[in-house]
Amino acid sequence: MNDASPPLEGAPLIAPSSTEHPLYDQIVEACRSVYDPEIPVNIYDLGLVYTIEINDAAEVRVIMTLTAPGCPVAGEMPGWLAEAIEPIPGVKQVDVEITWDPPWGMDMMSDEARLELGFM
């Protein structure tokens, strides 16, 4: 029996983040300290961080993507992000997952990233 059910029509492609959690803003700032080595913009403003889930035990799960499946740092970037988040006081555990669904697109960048890269 297949436990995977199709996504509900109208369901978001990207799961919502735990924006109300007290650690959320600090985790976002930690995400902003990690840069794609090929692009001079942090991974959060590039739109590579899709979801930041923080449970009541302060365990953090980040779902992120990369600009392309062939990204040369695909194996390293999740570790860089976990290392940036782990030192935050109160964080108990960090798990970073890569997803390709939905695929990243330039429309996911923040206005700051677009400006930095000359797209505005």
Side-chain angles (χ1 to χ4, degrees):
M1 183 170 180
N2 187 354
D3 290 340
S5 57
L8 297 174
E9 188 173 328
L13 293 175
I14 298 173
S17 292
S18 305
T19 58
E20 300 300 317
H21 195 283
L23 291 172
Y24 179 78
D25 290 337
Q26 293 174 71
I27 292 170
V28 168
E29 286 310 307
C31 292
R32 284 189 166 125
S33 73
V34 178
Y35 283 74
D36 183 314
E38 297 179 328
I39 304 171
V41 175
N42 69 74
I43 64 169
Y44 188 85
D45 288 327
L46 273 176
L48 299 179
V49 176
Y50 284 175
T51 304
I52 299 171
E53 292 178 358
I54 313 159
N55 67 18
D56 291 339
E59 297 165 333
V60 179
R61 178 175 172 240
V62 178
I63 301 171
M64 68 171 294
T65 193
L66 300 169
T67 55
C71 178
V73 294
E76 299 169 61
M77 183 100 46
W80 296 344
L81 186 53
E83 288 172 5
I85 296 169
E86 286 168 347
I88 296 171
V91 169
K92 302 293 183 229
Q93 177 183 332
V94 180
D95 180 35
V96 179
E97 299 174 24
I98 297 281
T99 186
W100 302 108
D101 190 30
W104 178 84
M106 291 177 59
D107 59 323
M108 295 175 165
M109 290 190 291
S110 70
D111 288 343
E112 292 84 3
R114 291 174 208 260
L115 188 62
E116 180 73 26
L117 295 173
F119 295 128
M120 287 182 74

